[in-house]
C-alpha cells in the first residue's frame, strides 16, 4: 500500500493512498487490546471505513455484552458487517465472507480505504486469505447429526474424531469451538479438508497490524470491561434477549458473558460470580485469539502500552 505524506504546518496530518492494488489495512489481536480505538484513528488517518471481523458484532440488540462500537463511534466512521443478523439466526462464516467482500468492494469503489478490525481469526482469514468456502463440501443433514452428537458427547469427542481424519484441520480449531469442529468434521467426512491447499484461492493484499499488550494488563482490562458492562446495562440487555425465548444453544447466545448474565437473572449465580465468570471466559478466549494470530507471519506486532500503534501503521505503510 503506497501512500503520499502531506505535511500541514510541519506535521503529517494526512496520508493518501496512491497505489490501489493494495488498499486494505487489518487490525487484529485479542479482545480488549484496543482494536476499536486504533481502527477509528487509522480510518481517520487514511480516509477509511471499518469492516468488522468480529463474529459477535453481527447480531442486532447485543451491544453491551459484545462491546460493540458505540453509536457515536459509528457516526464518526462508517462501520460495516455490524448488526446484519437477528440473534435468532445462525450467521456462519460463509455468509460473513459474502458480506465482508461486498463491503470491501463498495468501500474501494468509492475511493475509500477498507480497515478490517476484529479478533475472529477465521473471519479475518476467510476475507484476507481467500478461503474458498464455496468449494468446501456441505451436507445439511450430516451437520444436524453432528450437532446432535456434539450435544450428547461433547465437542471434545468430535474434535478427536476430526483429528483422526484430518490432523492439520484439527490443530487449527479448539475443541471448545464446537460449531467450527462440527463444520470441519462435516467437510472431512465428505472427503474434503479445510486445510487443503485448494481451500485457498488467494485474497487481497493487506497490511496486518496486531496488538499484543502484556498479558497481565490485558486481563486487567478484560475484568474492568466485564464490570463496566453491568453499569452500562448488560443485565437489562440480557433480560430482553431472554424474554424473546432465544435458544441458549444459538451462536449469538454463546457469546462471552450472556450465559452468565442469564444465569444471574435466573438466580443461579451471584452478580459477582457472573462478572468473574465472564472475565474468566473472555480471558481464555483472548489467549486462543493470540494463539491463532501468532501463526500468521504477515502480522506486524506492536505492544500498545509501549508505543503508539498508529505510528507503527505509519511506518509500515511508508516502507
Amino acid at each position: 500500500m503506497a501512500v503520499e505524506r502531506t505535511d500541514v504546518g510541519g506535521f503529517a496530518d494526512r496520508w493518501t493512498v496512491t497505489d490501489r492494488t493494495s488498499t486494505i489495512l487489518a487490525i487484529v489481536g485479542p479482545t480488549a487490546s484496543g482494536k476499536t480505538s486504533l481502527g477509528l484513528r487509522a480510518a481517520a488517518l487514511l480516509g477509511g471505513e471499518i469492516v468488522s471481523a468480529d463474529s459477535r458484532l453481527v447480531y442486532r440488540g447485543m451491544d453491551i455484552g459484545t462491546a460493540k462500537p458505540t453509536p457515536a463511534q459509528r457516526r464518526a466512521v462508517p462501520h460495516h458487517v455490524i448488526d446484519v443478523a437477528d440473534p435468532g439466526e445462525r450467521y456462519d462464516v460463509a455468509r460473513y465472507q459474502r458480506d465482508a467482500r461486498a463491503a470491501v468492494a463498495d468501500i474501494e469503489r468509492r475511493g475509500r480505504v477498507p480497515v478490517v478490525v476484529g479478533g475472529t481469526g477465521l473471519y479475518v482469514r476467510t476475507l484476507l486469505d481467500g478461503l474458498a468456502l464455496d468449494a468446501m463440501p456441505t451436507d445439511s443433514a450430516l451437520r444436524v447429526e453432528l450437532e446432535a452428537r456434539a450435544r450428547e458427547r461433547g465437542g471434545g469427542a468430535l474434535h478427536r474424531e476430526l483429528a483422526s481424519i484430518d490432523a492439520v484441520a484439527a490443530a487449527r480449531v479448539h475443541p471448545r469451538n464446537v460449531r467450527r469442529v462440527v463444520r470441519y468434521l462435516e467437510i472431512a467426512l465428505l472427503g474434503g479438508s479445510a486445510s487443503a491447499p485448494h481451500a485457498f484461492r488467494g485474497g487481497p493484499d493487506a497490511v496486518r497490524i496486531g496488538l499484543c499488550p502484556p498479558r497481565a494488563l490485558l486481563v486487567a482490562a478484560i475484568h474492568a470491561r466485564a464490570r463496566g458492562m453491568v453499569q452500562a446495562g448488560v443485565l437489562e440487555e440480557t433480560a430482553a434477549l431472554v424474554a424473546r425465548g432465544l435458544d441458549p444453544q444459538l451462536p449469538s447466545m454463546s457469546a462471552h458473558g450472556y450465559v452468565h448474565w442469564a444465569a444471574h437473572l435466573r438466580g443461579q449465580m451471584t452478580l459477582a460470580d457472573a462478572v468473574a465468570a465472564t472475565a474468566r471466559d473472555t480471558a481464555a478466549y483472548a489467549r486462543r485469539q493470540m494463539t491463532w494470530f501468532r501463526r500468521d507471519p504477515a502480522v506486524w506486532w506492536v505492544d500498545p502500552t509501549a508505543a503508539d500503534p498508529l505510528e507503527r501503521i505509519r511506518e509500515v505503510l511508508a516502507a
Side-chain angles (χ1 to χ4, degrees):
M1 181 187 297
V3 293
E4 290 181 349
R5 180 174 178 172
T6 302
D7 289 331
V8 179
F11 298 92
D13 290 339
R14 293 188 57 196
W15 290 59
T16 304
V17 175
T18 59
D19 179 2
R20 304 308 297 176
T21 64
S22 176
T23 61
I24 297 179
L25 170 68
I27 298 172
V28 303
T31 186
S33 61
K35 297 188 299 296
T36 297
S37 175
L38 179 60
L40 290 165
R41 297 174 65 207
L45 175 73
L46 297 172
E49 299 181 16
I50 292 173
V51 178
S52 172
D54 190 314
S55 61
R56 298 171 298 169
L57 303 191
V58 301
Y59 297 108
R60 293 182 288 270
M62 307 184 80
D63 302 340
I64 300 169
T66 62
K68 193 175 291 179
T70 67
Q73 291 171 326
R74 294 167 67 181
R75 285 193 298 268
V77 175
H79 284 63
H80 303 266
V81 203
I82 291 180
D83 290 344
V84 295
D86 184 85
E89 297 180 65
R90 290 184 177 273
Y91 187 96
D92 61 19
V93 68
R95 183 173 166 187
Y96 171 77
Q97 187 181 62
R98 292 192 298 271
D99 289 347
R101 284 178 172 175
V104 166
D106 176 62
I107 293 168
E108 292 187 322
R109 186 165 50 247
R110 291 183 284 104
R112 307 278 286 174
V113 178
V115 180
V116 177
V117 179
T120 301
L122 188 58
Y123 276 21
V124 174
R125 191 177 185 210
T126 193
L127 175 60
L128 300 184
D129 294 339
L131 183 62
L133 294 172
D134 55 351
M136 295 293 98
T138 183
D139 185 321
S140 58
L142 175 60
R143 189 179 305 185
V144 169
E145 177 187 337
L146 293 175
E147 289 174 343
R149 285 166 54 188
R151 287 192 294 270
E152 295 171 1
R153 299 165 50 194
L158 266 66
H159 188 269
R160 288 189 292 274
E161 183 176 350
L162 172 63
S164 69
I165 303 172
D166 188 343
V168 176
R172 291 177 173 171
V173 59
H174 195 281
R176 292 182 183 175
N177 194 335
V178 178
R179 281 178 285 127
R180 196 168 301 161
V181 170
V182 165
R183 177 59 180 139
Y184 281 13
L185 183 55
E186 175 192 0
I187 293 170
L189 291 173
L190 293 173
S193 173
S195 61
H198 69 266
F200 298 90
R201 294 176 175 164
D205 193 12
V207 171
R208 309 182 196 201
I209 301 293
L211 298 183
C212 56
R215 178 68 184 176
L217 296 181
L218 181 66
V219 171
I222 289 170
H223 279 265
R225 174 182 284 183
R227 294 191 297 270
M229 287 178 178
V230 178
Q231 298 300 319
V234 73
L235 295 178
E236 291 79 4
E237 181 174 86
T238 303
L241 294 168
V242 171
R244 291 186 51 186
L246 294 174
D247 183 349
Q249 300 299 319
L250 283 169
S252 60
M253 294 301 289
S254 67
H256 306 299
Y258 284 110
V259 63
H260 305 306
W261 306 129
H264 168 68
L265 292 173
R266 293 192 300 268
Q268 298 173 340
M269 180 180 285
T270 68
L271 181 57
D273 286 345
V275 170
T278 296
R280 178 202 65 214
D281 288 357
T282 305
Y285 175 60
R287 183 180 291 107
R288 296 195 296 274
Q289 287 175 298
M290 283 302 299
T291 298
W292 175 286
F293 287 117
R294 283 292 193 190
R295 292 197 292 258
D296 187 348
V299 175
W300 297 74
W301 290 100
V302 58
D303 174 0
T305 68
D308 184 352
L310 193 64
E311 293 305 315
R312 183 58 163 163
I313 290 175
R314 293 178 188 267
E315 294 171 2
V316 173
L317 294 184

